[in-house]
């Protein structure tokens, strides 16, 4: 089961995403600011991070910078979710950008594209049948 880390300071968003994504078959880890998010990443390495930018304590921009500066974390895809604009550097540092509010199907398609679904890519048989 693929694990997703949701980092957002809005409880309603975290709970809604957690409910929807767990039903889709993903394991969910949550954090409410960037500092908590980095701590969760050390405790349980996620396969993908859903990251809000505007948060207290440590914002998403700083968390994203620290993820990209850490050789052990930089390969983890980060999907930035924000109602505001993001810089070109933030766009380059993230795997995808979703403007809030976004459609649920877009979020699910984005995660599936980056991870291959809750259980990863479907194995293919050697005979080319797939």
């Amino acid at each position: 089961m693929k694990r997703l880390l949701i980092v957002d300071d809005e409880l309603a968003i975290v709970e809604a995403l957690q409910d929807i994504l767990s039903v889709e078959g993903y394991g969910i880890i949550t954090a409410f600011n960037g500092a908590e998010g980095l701590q969760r990443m050390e405790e349980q390495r996620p396969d993908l991070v859903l990251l809000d930018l505007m948060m207290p304590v440590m914002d998403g921009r700083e968390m994203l910078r620290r993820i990209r500066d850490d050789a052990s974390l930089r390969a983890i895809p980060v999907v930035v979710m924000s109602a505001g604009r993001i810089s070109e550097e933030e766009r380059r540092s993230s795997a995808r950008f979703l403007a809030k509010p976004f459609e649920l199907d877009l979020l699910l398609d984005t995660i599936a594209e980056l991870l291959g679904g809750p259980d990863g890519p479907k194995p293919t048989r050697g005979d080319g049948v797939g």
Side-chain angles (χ1 to χ4, degrees):
M1 175 186 299
K2 295 289 185 171
R3 277 194 303 242
L4 309 179
L5 171 61
I6 302 167
V7 188
D8 198 309
D9 62 322
E10 294 184 48
L11 181 61
I13 290 175
V14 171
E15 288 179 341
L17 291 175
Q18 183 173 9
D19 290 348
I20 292 162
L21 295 170
S22 62
V23 167
E24 291 292 322
Y26 294 100
I28 304 299
I29 309 161
T30 61
F32 295 96
N33 62 63
E36 226 178 75
L38 290 172
Q39 182 179 343
R40 297 288 183 279
M41 291 182 84
E42 288 178 18
E43 296 166 356
Q44 303 178 57
R45 185 180 177 91
D47 296 292
L48 182 139
V49 177
L50 297 172
L51 179 63
D52 183 34
L53 290 184
M54 294 183 278
M55 297 179 291
V57 184
M58 177 191 295
D59 68 13
R61 288 176 171 87
E62 179 62 18
M63 182 178 173
L64 181 60
R65 187 189 67 74
R66 290 188 188 192
I67 290 170
R68 294 303 171 232
D69 286 346
D70 186 327
S72 69
L73 300 177
R74 74 172 54 118
I76 298 171
V78 177
V79 176
V80 170
M81 313 174 297
S82 182
R85 294 179 182 246
I86 67 169
S87 71
E88 279 305 311
E89 177 61 29
E90 291 158 351
R91 195 174 297 272
R92 281 192 303 274
S93 296
S94 61
R96 297 286 188 285
F97 170 69
L98 297 178
K100 286 182 179 179
F102 47 80
E103 294 292 324
L104 179 59
D105 285 344
L106 177 59
L107 174 66
L108 294 175
D109 290 349
T110 299
I111 294 169
E113 180 183 326
L114 293 170
L115 296 181
D119 298 314
K122 301 290 184 230
T124 58
R125 298 190 327 221
D127 60 9
V129 175

